[in-house]
Structure formats: structure tokens, C-alpha cells
Amino acid sequence: MMKSLKAIQSVAYLALLFTSTAQAQQYSQQIIGSGMDFAVRGHGVAAADYDNDGYIDLYFVTKNVNSNNSGGAPNFLFRNLGNGTFIDVAKAAGVVGIIDTVYSGSQRVNINYGAFWADFDNDGDADLLLTNKGMNELYENNGDGTFRDITKASGLGERYRESTSAAWFDYDLDGDLDLYVSNYGLYGLILSAKNEFYQNNGDGTFTDITDMAGVGGAEENASQRIQSDWTYTTLIVDVNEDAYPDLYCINDFGGNILFVNQQDGTFKEATGEYRLSDPGHGMGGALGDFDNDGHFDIYVTNIEDGYAEWNRLFKHQPNKQYEDISPSVGTALAYWAWGTEFFDYDLDGWLDLFVVNGQNGEPMKNAFFRNRGDGTFEDIAEQTGTNSTAEARGLCIADFNNDGRLDIFASNYYTRAHYYINTAQGGNYLKINLTGTQSNRDGYGTIVSAEANGRSFYRINDGIHYLGQSKRPVHFGLGDATTIDRLTVKWPLGLEQQFTNIAANRTIAITEGSDEIREVVTSIQSSTDSQPGNYSLQSYPNPVQIGAHIEINLPQREHVRVEIYDILGKKVRSIAQEQLSAGNHTLRWEAVDDAGQRLVNGVYFIRVQTNTTHFSKAILVVK
């Protein structure tokens, strides 16, 4: 079986040499000069706009000790400055992570593994969970660019275990995010440890319900080879499409495990029933509807340890069972694979797959599987310039420069990370920021579908991957379509909303229960400060701490409305609404909203509306 699979792969590779489908579609490696040059020896990475300024930031986990420190190396929080560069603010923000290593004899306990963003307290900003070999850490976002360590106070405990990945999701559909932690054992000082499941109490604390829910692991089963611990990644998948999220644990040893939500606070192991068994050595996984049929498929990465263990592409069948089609569609072999993610890199409407890999210093190239749209894939890593042989573990997919195209950050295990900027041409896109009101604030678990030019596209808001999570807008590639005819948003708690005739190539914000679509004007879009004719708009100082002067020049007498909007397109302050004469006018704004409350840190927009035109300028509020 293995030999025939390798033969298939060899034929596919030879065929690829004679294709030119992606020759003009490239990625540009830009880690040097980005401010993230010192992101070396990495494990997990996670993206989120932690300071709500409209730019996607990146948390980088440093896996272990550095050469001149007997303790651990600090992690990095790279704040996106919006001009193509980043700055590390982990120390100032209070999230460098545990760096003191505990020794017993010659063995080191603490190793940093993963990072996972979520608004667990529904207050509007991203909180941060760090997983470690040792003690895990939970940091609450203070809303001012800093965090506080609430691990012990939250009830997550200070126990020693080897935690790898984690998944935030609302298992009981009560409107807040619960936490499932994947654990790994039997190596070093820490012996076996079951996975952990924490219910969100809604008051900033959690309760361990692992045993009650029945999701700590499963008894060893000789026929299916499933057992407890050894989990590297857990995906949240609604396998039976009953709106209750299920757990799919991807295990290094003992086979993968599927736990189906019983809607009563408990889960049932049902791996064989849904045909999701995988006897390989599982590492990472991704969830996405690669064939646009409305059912979400699962991709699982495995290792290559002396012989080929192919990666599984489990296609979700109409009967709710899964079928592994990977050998026949071209996604089976990717060496010793780790992190992976579905995303539409070329905006053609079909989800592609990126896979990082490597082990023991052997030269293994990343794989980039382009979806041909006919049910098959081709590896275009070489053509796109992403075929690095550096040994990698984690990756993160996000639109870091706000141009509508998804970029790639690959965390290399021994060397400097790779930061690939998407420079592909063609296609249209839509990005959607979701805000839950009855459902969890992040809208995790929301299913969004789009209909355009006779085609249908489906996305789920999860962002989970190996050792990390991308907390980012829902992203659609739309091919040639410039308008979405119908957009359907199905929230986790069951509300379904529909919107029609939505223009492409922009970012919009949708709030659960509201019929309004707000356009999100990002800083990158407004950086040229579009001002027509002889109109002008200036503000100083910028950034603003206490107050700002707003200067407007008008070529004629007009009725003018001056307002302040946040990054989601919500009006927070009315500055003026009156007739103004031609010439220069100076207004004062004290960086407060209409209620007189001080605004949180972030990017805001001064918008000027006249009888004949409108224009805007970005302004940054800092404390």
C-alpha cells in the first residue's frame, strides 16, 4: 500500500513539472526588516487584533531555552504598526510567558508550546492562553494594551502537565467560550496526562468538567487503536450537523478520537461510527469545505517515520460519515507534517492547503496544495516561493497588511521564522468581522455562506490549527464575482441572518441580531487620507493622548458634519454639525465618546461630510 501511494505521488510530481497554473502567483518572503527578524526557534504562533486598532498582531512562542540563559527564552507579542513593520511589546504588555525553567537532575520541565486568543469574558478584546510543558497561563486583556495573569484566579490551576494545543468553543451554547486543552504525556518528568475540559462559569472563572463530560480520553481499543493522552491538536467539528460542537482529537500515538456532543453536557466516543479513525502519528489538522458542497471536511497531518504515513483528507459525506480521499486527490504526502490550514490564497473561490514540516534536521520542503476546483490539488510550493526546507512546526494565516489577500507566517524550529506576503494577482474578496451578542462575542462556531455568480462558498469561524489560532475576520475568495448576491450568517445559538447585494473587495462588520452592515475602514485603506478638490483635513497631535485639534479647509460655504468612528464603523462622537464658511476651521476633540467616556486605545477615523462630498483621516488614540 505504501509503495503504491509513493508511486502515485511520484507521477503527480512529474505531471506538476509540466504545468504552469500558478507561475505568476507568488509570495514574497519579508521577515528581514519586518521587526520580527529575531523570531527564532519557534513553536506555536497565533494572530489577533489584540489592541483593536485594525491591524492583525502576532504572538510568537519561543520553544525552549536560549544559548545564554539557564532559564527559558521569552515569547514575543509583535504589534502590527500598519506600515509593514512590527514591534515586540510582550514585556510592556506583560505576556512574555514563563521563562524560569524547573530542573530535576538533567531534565527540564518547562517548554513553551502554543498560544490561543479568545474573548472568554465577552468584553470586546482578545485574551490569551499559553500552553506549556509545565504550567499553562491565562492572561486577561485589560483593554489598554496590557494583560494580567489570572491563571490561578480563573480556576485553570497551576498543575504540571504537557499541554500542546487548545480549543476555545461554546460546547453548551450558553453564550460564552469553554476551553478544551490537549495534553501529551509519558516523556520526561511529566507522566501521562489526560486532556482537560473547562466550563466557562461566566464570571471570569472555569470549572474542570473533564470526567463529567467524558472527554479526558478513551479506553484503549485494540481494533481502533485509540487511547487517552498523546493529543497534539483538537478540532471543533459538528460531525452530525446538529448545531452542537463535537471534539476531534488528533493523537500522536493510539489513533485519533472523536467525541460527539450529546446535548446534555456529556460526549460519546464515536470515532469508528463516523469513519474518522487514523492509525498514523497525528500532528495537526484543519477544517474547511474544500469542495464547496456545504459540508466541512477535515485534513489531518501525520509523520513520515521510516515509512510513509499519508495525510488524511476526510471528506464529509451526505450521510454524515467521512471518507479519506487524500491518496486520490494529491494531498497525501507532505513528509513529516505539522501545522496546516485551509485558506483561499488566490481568491478563486476554492480553499487551498498549506503544510509545514520537518524533523531531525532532514531537508523536507513545505507543501502548498492548490485546489484546482475539480476535486484535486497540485503542490505549488516551488512556484510560490514557499518551499522552504527549514524545519517548521506552527503556522498562521492572516491578512497582515489589510490588502484582502491572506499572508503566511511559518514558525521554524531552529532558524528564523518565514513571513510570506501574498502578491498573487486576480480575484475578489470579502472579509467579515463578526460580533456575537447572544452567542459568544467572537462568533466562534458561526457558519457563513455566500452566493455569487451562481456559485456558493462556505466558511466556519474557527481558526484553530496546530499549537495556535488565527483570530481573524472570516475571509472569502470570490473569483470573478464583484457582488455577493446573498450572504447568510448562522450564529452558534441558532439565529440566521441574510443580507443581499454586498459589494466585494472590502471588510464589513456584522453584529448578531442587527440588520445593519457596517463597512470597516482600515488604516491601510485610509492611509492616503482621501480628500477631494480643495478640501483638506488635518489633525494634531497624532497619536493623541489627551486631546486633538482638527483642522478643516473648505473651498466654499457648506453644511458640515464632523464625526469620529471606530474601526468597526460605529460612530462614537459627534464633533460638529453646522454651516461653515469657506476657509480654515479648527475644532477640538478630547478623545472621548458622546457620553464623555475616555476611548480605549486604537485607531479611529475623523469623517467629514459636506453637501457635496465626504472624506476622512485616521487618528490613533493612546494612553
Side-chain angles (χ1 to χ4, degrees):
M1 180 65 178
M2 296 300 176
K3 289 183 179 180
S4 62
L5 181 62
K6 285 190 171 181
I8 292 173
Q9 186 76 3
S10 297
V11 172
Y13 179 73
L14 289 174
L16 179 60
L17 293 179
F18 296 98
T19 65
S20 59
T21 54
Q23 289 295 334
Q25 297 162 342
Q26 300 290 321
Y27 273 80
S28 173
Q29 220 287 76
Q30 295 186 15
I31 192 70
I32 302 299
S34 68
M36 299 186 289
D37 313 42
F38 48 94
V40 180
R41 297 178 66 85
H43 245 161
V45 284
D49 181 8
Y50 83 94
D51 53 359
N52 292 325
D53 68 351
Y55 302 119
I56 299 296
D57 311 296
L58 188 76
Y59 193 88
F60 179 89
V61 177
T62 304
K63 73 181 181 69
N64 59 9
V65 297
N66 59 31
S67 60
N68 59 2
N69 184 358
S70 60
N75 300 328
F76 303 123
L77 173 56
F78 292 114
R79 181 171 178 264
N80 190 336
L81 299 180
N83 59 2
T85 65
F86 296 75
I87 184 172
D88 174 36
V89 297
K91 185 175 181 179
V95 289
V96 294
I98 296 174
I99 60 174
D100 292 326
T101 299
V102 178
Y103 283 92
S104 177
S106 61
Q107 300 204 54
R108 176 167 35 83
V109 172
N110 199 72
I111 297 177
N112 303 328
Y113 272 105
F116 309 87
W117 296 101
D119 185 2
F120 80 87
D121 51 5
N122 286 335
D123 67 350
D125 47 40
D127 309 300
L128 179 65
L129 174 78
L130 302 181
T131 55
N132 302 306
K133 181 177 182 179
M135 291 188 297
N136 295 334
E137 306 159 74
L138 179 62
Y139 294 93
E140 183 181 17
N141 193 326
N142 295 321
D144 60 359
T146 67
F147 295 76
R148 65 188 184 101
D149 187 345
I150 62 167
T151 309
K152 187 174 182 179
S154 69
L156 293 188
E158 295 182 323
R159 71 185 69 169
Y160 280 89
R161 84 284 260 175
E162 185 165 354
S163 295
T164 51
S165 296
W168 292 99
F169 73 117
D170 185 3
Y171 95 100
D172 50 2
L173 303 185
D174 66 349
D176 53 32
L177 292 172
D178 309 297
L179 176 65
Y180 190 79
V181 180
S182 302
N183 288 331
Y184 194 92
L186 300 183
Y187 282 133
L189 294 177
I190 300 176
L191 300 179
S192 179
K194 288 184 178 181
N195 296 340
E196 300 166 57
F197 189 27
Y198 294 94
Q199 184 178 39
N200 191 333
N201 298 322
D203 60 0
T205 67
F206 295 81
T207 298
D208 187 342
I209 59 169
T210 309
D211 293 334
M212 182 195 76
V215 292
E219 295 301 320
E220 186 170 357
N221 183 307
S223 62
Q224 297 180 21
R225 294 187 61 224
I226 58 177
Q227 63 188 50
S228 61
D229 53 58
W230 306 114
T231 304
Y232 264 137
T233 306
T234 298
L235 297 179
I236 308 303
V237 187
D238 184 7
V239 294
N240 53 11
E241 299 178 339
D242 64 352
Y244 278 78
D246 310 307
L247 291 163
Y248 185 54
C249 301
I250 298 170
N251 295 337
D252 188 1
F253 299 104
N256 299 340
I257 310 175
L258 172 68
F259 294 110
V260 176
N261 194 326
Q262 300 300 290
Q263 304 183 20
D264 61 0
T266 67
F267 290 74
K268 181 184 77 171
E269 188 275 312
T271 317
E273 178 182 345
Y274 287 88
R275 298 172 61 189
L276 280 171
S277 301
D278 178 12
H281 294 77
M283 301 288 121
L287 181 67
D289 182 10
F290 82 91
D291 52 1
N292 289 334
D293 67 351
H295 304 285
F296 291 96
D297 313 296
I298 301 172
Y299 188 70
V300 176
T301 59
N302 285 308
I303 71 171
E304 185 179 71
D305 190 9
Y307 65 94
E309 292 181 7
W310 69 85
N311 296 344
R312 309 277 177 165
L313 178 54
F314 289 109
K315 176 174 166 53
H316 196 169
Q317 303 294 332
N319 65 359
K320 306 296 191 291
Q321 290 185 324
Y322 290 79
E323 178 186 1
D324 176 21
I325 62 171
S326 204
S328 63
V329 302
T331 58
L333 294 185
Y335 303 101
W336 194 306
W338 299 89
T340 184
E341 186 65 288
F342 280 108
F343 67 109
D344 185 0
Y345 96 95
D346 53 0
L347 307 182
D348 66 351
W350 300 100
L351 288 178
D352 312 297
L353 270 169
F354 192 77
V355 186
V356 297
N357 56 67
Q359 180 71 355
N360 301 325
E362 298 179 26
M364 302 177 185
K365 297 179 181 179
N366 295 333
F368 198 160
F369 297 117
R370 178 182 178 270
N371 191 332
R372 292 188 177 107
D374 61 0
T376 67
F377 294 78
E378 59 178 335
D379 189 349
I380 59 168
E382 184 174 356
Q383 295 98 310
T384 56
T386 57
N387 59 330
S388 169
T389 58
E391 185 172 322
R393 291 292 190 272
L395 85 159
C396 192
I397 309 296
D399 181 11
F400 290 105
N401 57 3
N402 284 343
D403 67 351
R405 298 182 182 277
L406 293 172
D407 311 304
I408 301 171
F409 188 97
S411 177
N412 294 326
Y413 201 57
Y414 294 111
T415 60
R416 180 184 289 117
H418 286 147
Y419 176 42
Y420 298 106
I421 297 296
N422 192 334
T423 58
Q425 301 297 312
N428 299 292
Y429 73 92
L430 183 73
K431 296 195 297 182
I432 307 164
N433 283 320
L434 298 173
T435 301
T437 53
Q438 300 302 311
S439 301
N440 67 87
R441 178 81 178 233
D442 286 327
Y444 285 164
T446 301
I447 295 175
V448 186
S449 60
E451 300 171 31
N453 280 4
R455 300 174 63 188
S456 295
F457 314 93
Y458 302 87
R459 301 288 185 268
I460 186 166
N461 186 29
D462 73 327
I464 296 172
H465 42 77
Y466 172 78
L467 299 187
Q469 184 176 38
S470 300
K471 187 175 182 292
R472 62 178 187 265
V474 174
H475 180 275
F476 285 93
L478 300 171
D480 295 333
T482 57
T483 301
I484 290 181
D485 303 315
R486 176 180 287 110
L487 186 75
T488 302
V489 181
K490 187 174 182 180
W491 297 89
L493 267 60
L495 177 65
E496 187 171 303
Q497 296 177 262
Q498 291 192 348
F499 306 88
T500 57
N501 298 321
I502 301 171
N505 299 320
R506 58 185 182 139
T507 303
I508 62 174
I510 294 176
T511 299
E512 184 179 16
S514 172
D515 294 331
E516 179 187 8
I517 288 183
R518 301 191 309 275
E519 182 164 6
V520 178
V521 182
T522 64
S523 300
I524 198 75
Q525 293 170 327
S526 65
S527 61
T528 55
D529 294 331
S530 176
Q531 298 166 22
N534 295 320
Y535 296 88
S536 68
L537 170 62
Q538 300 295 329
S539 65
Y540 61 91
N542 190 3
V544 56
Q545 289 183 303
I546 300 175
H549 294 283
I550 300 171
E551 291 189 351
I552 304 169
N553 183 75
L554 302 174
Q556 59 191 13
R557 180 179 176 83
E558 292 188 80
H559 186 275
V560 176
R561 187 167 68 242
V562 182
E563 298 166 326
I564 308 296
Y565 284 78
D566 66 15
I567 195 69
L568 296 179
K570 178 184 176 182
K571 186 180 73 172
V572 297
R573 177 69 170 166
S574 293
I575 303 296
Q577 186 170 336
E578 58 185 300
Q579 289 283 339
L580 295 177
S581 61
N584 291 314
H585 301 270
T586 300
L587 307 173
R588 175 72 178 174
W589 175 47
E590 302 299 336
V592 298
D593 62 16
D594 278 333
Q597 298 297 312
R598 170 75 184 186
L599 294 178
V600 299
N601 290 359
V603 172
Y604 295 84
F605 300 94
I606 306 167
R607 295 188 181 180
V608 178
Q609 177 79 47
T610 74
N611 299 337
T612 58
T613 189
H614 60 88
F615 46 98
S616 64
K617 180 178 180 63
I619 188 169
L620 179 64
V621 173
V622 297
K623 291 183 180 179

